[in-house]
Amino acid sequence: MTSTAPTTELDPASSGEQPYRHGMPWTEEDFAGIMQASREGCGLEEIAVRIGRSVHALRPQLRRLLPADERHLAADLVLPRLRQLERDGDYDWLAAMAQPTRSPWELRFEAEAARDEWGIGALSDDELVALASTVAGAAAQLPAALRRAIAGAVHGRGLEHVVRRCALRAVDEAVDALLDRDGAPWSYDDRSPF
């Protein structure tokens, strides 16, 4: 004996029937019906029945009603978010639908551009050279990701020789300062620092 899942009276698709608008293009009236049912506090099944669609077909369409930057929300958060947006009464769901959804590639490109705008990439050449030459002696103590980011920016701008020259000058100045005793330089023959 096989058991079947209980059917839901509200969803014709659960009884094997196709909803009356199955396969038809989605219209503005469909979306207006979704928003009206949402305002009235209807659940997914009831909304689907009202507009003649299956719950399965309804779920992705609900996302289209959200602002483009919120379409990533988990499925169970979409309807509550629509209700929250609609609560003020001035939510323009038609304008939200007109917003194009950005692809993952576009989002990644924007994130990388923002990182360059605010991170190491935003430094001027002089600032990058100063940073790279300053941390050159401590590179082993830097987190690997930071070291790679600085090196990538230096290589990308072709500043390797400038960084090397500045780092060597800084080391020479540090050694000179270390070996300078009251203005008198150390000599190799000095055995005592006092």
Side-chain angles (χ1 to χ4, degrees):
M1 175 199 266
T2 47
S3 65
T4 58
T7 60
T8 304
E9 291 180 19
L10 294 175
D11 188 1
S14 65
S15 65
E17 297 175 29
Q18 295 291 338
Y20 72 91
R21 294 210 18 93
H22 175 76
M24 298 176 85
W26 285 77
T27 64
E28 187 175 323
E29 290 78 27
D30 290 325
F31 293 106
I34 291 170
M35 293 307 294
Q36 180 63 37
S38 171
R39 277 190 289 277
E40 294 172 9
C42 296
L44 284 175
E45 293 83 9
E46 189 175 347
I47 294 172
V49 168
R50 282 189 180 192
I51 65 170
R53 304 289 183 160
S54 70
V55 171
H56 180 72
L58 176 62
R59 286 185 190 275
Q61 300 302 327
L62 286 174
R63 287 184 193 281
R64 291 181 57 198
L65 291 164
L66 291 174
D69 61 342
E70 295 185 30
R71 292 182 187 149
H72 66 280
L73 288 176
D76 60 331
L77 298 178
V78 174
L79 190 55
R81 179 60 178 144
L82 279 175
R83 287 190 179 119
Q84 186 180 38
L85 290 167
E86 189 64 24
R87 195 171 296 139
D88 296 334
D90 60 350
Y91 179 59
D92 189 353
W93 57 269
L94 278 171
M97 287 184 67
Q99 295 173 339
T101 300
R102 296 183 317 247
S103 70
W105 179 86
E106 290 171 309
L107 294 172
R108 180 177 177 185
F109 181 78
E110 289 173 12
E112 288 173 359
R115 183 186 65 220
D116 289 344
E117 183 177 322
W118 294 101
I120 292 171
L123 297 174
S124 69
D125 285 356
D126 290 341
E127 292 167 334
L128 179 60
V129 166
L131 173 66
S133 61
T134 300
V135 301
Q141 297 170 0
L142 290 177
L146 179 57
R147 192 172 56 246
R148 282 192 303 272
I150 294 170
V154 168
H155 290 304
R157 297 186 196 183
L159 298 173
E160 299 92 336
H161 66 285
V162 180
V163 169
R164 184 176 307 279
R165 190 174 63 238
C166 289
L168 291 173
R169 184 174 355 136
V171 168
D172 284 345
E173 289 171 1
V175 169
D176 287 346
L178 174 69
L179 299 180
D180 184 23
R181 181 180 65 189
D182 298 327
W186 287 90
S187 70
Y188 180 73
D189 292 335
D190 286 341
R191 301 288 181 210
S192 170
F194 305 103

